[in-house]
């Protein structure tokens, strides 16, 4: 189906179109609205509606990737979310429900994108927020969390140590533990991403959706959304980097696999094991594993920065790598292909240059 027959990629009632040459882009009025809550967060009363903390993000045609792959490629720009990544959809939904149900403190154990989403949610909702992080969390990220009003507690050298403390601190009856990815409310809130794509495409399903996988929160959110809108025929390309490929190992064995360690530089994908909800979901929908090298992920970040002027981390680069390499998509894929630009907070220009040198990644200031 040609893009011109779909009209605007974002609902005409709230957006206007603009053509920027290489990339057609739609600009949205980013409004906060209420979302209907489907149930109560465990331990708290069921609210009727919750405040929406995420914004509607643009869905844009990327001409460069479309040319490389030979199919239309659409980018869902979740990197433009107020917290810096898609995480605010699900975590914001969970936190807003919890507040209305009586929670007075959010406790998280992520020094990355999930922690940033909890910190943002706490600031927006006026709720005290504690983020427990391992000592490996970059200082600039700790400062960012503090700037959002969160109390940052450094505990241990690994995420599991920080997570143990977060769970202990959330035992207070007025507190709620907010996991990075493994909660049904997070998947429910995250599924709003698919509903937006459904509206933008006028209900016409894409052939496939590409996304990055760490613990499986985004994957499960998208799968829930696909089922909700009746797009079960749309396949999912689940991207990981070598050394953080717990989903690939799990799908390969047909059972949950724990990676002994995370060796990839894409630390945001560094879940040793995916959610237990992934395998049942994989039996209902078509989920294909795509594993790229750190070099491919970093190169994709560099190319994306040059081409689109967006700085994202290697966890996001794993998905973007699909757009720059035709060998990573199924031979029979007809398109359109939606790639979710999940965003990321743990990245700076200097870090990207370090990763470039570390992986021998290649790109220049004029090409891709």
């Amino acid at each position: 189906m040609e893009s011109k027959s779909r009209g605007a990629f974002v609902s005409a009632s709230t957006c206007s179109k603009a053509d920027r040459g290489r990339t057609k882009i739609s600009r949205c009025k980013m409004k906060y609205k209420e979302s209907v809550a489907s149930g109560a967060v465990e331990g708290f009363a069921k609210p009727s509606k919750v405040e929406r903390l995420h914004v509607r993000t643009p869905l844009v045609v990327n001409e460069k990737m479309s040319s490389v792959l030979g199919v239309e490629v659409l980018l869902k720009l979740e990197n433009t979310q107020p917290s810096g990544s898609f995480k605010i959809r699900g975590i914001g939904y969970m936190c807003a429900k919890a507040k209305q149900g009586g929670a007075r403190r959010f406790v998280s154990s992520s020094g990355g994108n999930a922690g940033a989403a909890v910190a943002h949610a706490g600031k927006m909702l006026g709720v005290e927020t504690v983020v427990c992080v391992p000592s490996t969390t970059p200082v600039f990220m700790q400062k960012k969390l503090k700037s959002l009003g969160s109390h940052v507690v450094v505990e241990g050298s690994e995420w599991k140590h920080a997570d143990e403390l977060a769970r202990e601190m959330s035992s207070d009856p007025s507190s709620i533990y907010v996991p990075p990815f493994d909660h049904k409310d997070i998947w429910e809130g995250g599924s709003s991403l698919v509903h937006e794509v459904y509206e933008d495409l006028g209900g016409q399903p894409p052939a496939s959706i590409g996304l990055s996988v760490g613990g499986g929160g985004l994957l499960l959110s998208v799968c829930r959304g696909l089922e909700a809108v009746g797009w079960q025929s749309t396949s999912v390309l689940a991207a990981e980097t070598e050394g953080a490929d717990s989903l690939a190992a799990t799908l390969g064995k047909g059972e949950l696999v724990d990676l002994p360690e995370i060796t990839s530089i894409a630390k945001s994908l560094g879940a040793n094991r995916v959610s237990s909800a992934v395998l049942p979901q994989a039996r209902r929908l078509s989920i294909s594993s795509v594993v790229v090298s750190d070099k491919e992920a970093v190169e994709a970040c560099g190319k994306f920065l040059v081409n689109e002027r967006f700085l994202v981390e290697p966890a996001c680069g794993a998905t973007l790598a699909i757009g720059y390499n035709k060998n990573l998509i199924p031979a029979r894929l007809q398109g359109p292909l939606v790639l979710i630009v999940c965003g990321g907070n743990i990245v700076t220009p200097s870090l990207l240059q370090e990763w470039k040198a570390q992986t021998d990644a290649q790109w220049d200031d004029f090409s891709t």
Side-chain angles (χ1 to χ4, degrees):
M1 185 175 183
E2 295 181 355
S3 59
K4 62 182 181 181
S5 66
R6 286 197 296 270
F9 291 126
V10 187
S11 146
S13 63
T14 57
C15 306
S16 61
K17 294 184 293 181
D19 191 331
R20 295 186 177 177
R22 138 182 114 254
T23 301
K24 295 178 182 177
I25 198 163
S26 296
R27 295 193 293 267
C28 295
K29 296 178 181 177
M30 296 185 173
K31 297 180 178 179
Y32 296 94
K33 299 181 179 179
E34 290 184 331
S35 299
V36 176
S38 60
V41 175
E42 185 175 355
F44 296 95
K46 178 180 177 180
S48 57
K49 290 185 177 181
V50 297
E51 182 179 355
R52 196 184 82 178
L53 305 183
H54 68 271
V55 299
R56 185 183 186 112
T57 57
L59 182 69
V60 304
V61 177
N62 188 278
E63 302 292 357
K64 175 63 179 179
M65 293 182 180
S66 298
S67 176
V68 169
L69 300 187
V71 299
E72 186 178 50
V73 177
L74 308 173
L75 302 181
K76 182 63 170 166
L77 300 179
E78 288 297 289
N79 57 311
T80 62
Q81 289 290 353
S83 71
S85 81
F86 75 97
K87 290 281 189 180
I88 191 60
R89 289 183 182 270
I91 286 177
Y93 181 76
M94 179 179 180
C95 288
K97 281 183 64 176
K99 179 193 175 182
Q100 286 198 9
R104 293 295 174 262
R105 185 172 73 161
F106 305 143
V107 184
S108 172
S109 62
S110 167
N113 298 318
V118 175
H120 180 80
K123 181 177 181 179
M124 292 293 293
L125 296 168
V127 174
E128 178 187 356
T129 304
V130 178
V131 182
C132 301
V133 303
S135 58
T136 53
T137 303
V139 173
F140 75 83
M141 194 63 207
Q142 295 184 42
K143 289 181 177 179
K144 181 172 184 175
L145 295 172
K146 291 177 181 178
S147 73
L148 290 170
S150 291
H151 177 53
V152 177
V153 180
V154 179
E155 177 69 17
S157 59
E158 298 180 33
W159 172 77
K160 63 182 180 181
H161 301 141
D163 189 58
E164 289 172 359
L165 177 61
R167 291 175 184 270
E168 291 176 9
M169 294 182 70
S170 62
S171 61
D172 182 312
S174 65
S175 300
I176 182 172
Y177 168 72
V178 184
F181 58 85
D182 206 1
H183 195 283
K184 61 183 180 180
D185 284 329
I186 292 177
W187 311 331
E188 179 67 24
S191 70
S192 60
L193 185 156
V194 178
H195 289 273
E196 289 178 13
V197 175
Y198 179 89
E199 294 172 1
D200 296 347
L201 299 185
Q204 296 296 321
S208 189
I209 295 179
L211 52 83
S212 295
V213 177
L218 179 56
L219 173 63
L220 290 166
S221 294
V222 167
C223 288
R224 179 167 290 204
L226 290 176
E227 291 181 324
V229 302
W231 279 359
Q232 288 89 339
S233 63
T234 296
S235 64
V236 177
L237 301 180
E240 300 172 288
T241 50
E242 296 171 357
D245 48 349
S246 55
L247 174 68
T250 292
L251 293 178
K253 293 197 68 174
E255 61 184 38
L256 289 175
V257 174
D258 285 276
L259 298 181
E261 61 178 331
I262 302 298
T263 58
S264 170
I265 64 172
K267 300 304 181 185
S268 292
L269 300 183
N272 296 78
R273 183 175 69 175
V274 295
S275 168
S276 60
V278 166
L279 275 177
Q281 190 68 72
R283 298 187 182 103
R284 297 198 298 271
L285 297 175
S286 173
I287 300 175
S288 299
S289 173
V290 178
V291 179
V292 304
S293 65
D294 279 347
K295 178 180 179 179
E296 289 174 305
V298 172
E299 283 185 346
C301 291
K303 292 176 180 180
F304 197 63
L305 175 61
V306 171
N307 288 343
E308 314 302 333
R309 301 299 189 265
F310 284 128
L311 180 63
V312 296
E313 61 184 52
C316 181
T319 292
L320 295 175
I322 296 173
Y324 294 115
N325 187 347
K326 191 171 185 178
N327 294 325
L328 295 177
I329 66 171
R332 297 180 180 179
L333 185 69
Q334 297 299 309
L337 168 63
V338 174
L339 296 180
I340 299 175
V341 185
C342 57
N345 287 276
I346 304 183
V347 60
T348 63
S350 59
L351 272 177
L352 184 58
Q353 287 300 318
E354 287 180 23
W355 295 327
K356 182 180 183 181
Q358 182 180 340
T359 62
D360 196 30
Q362 302 295 319
W363 71 83
D364 58 46
D365 291 339
F366 308 99
S367 73
T368 47

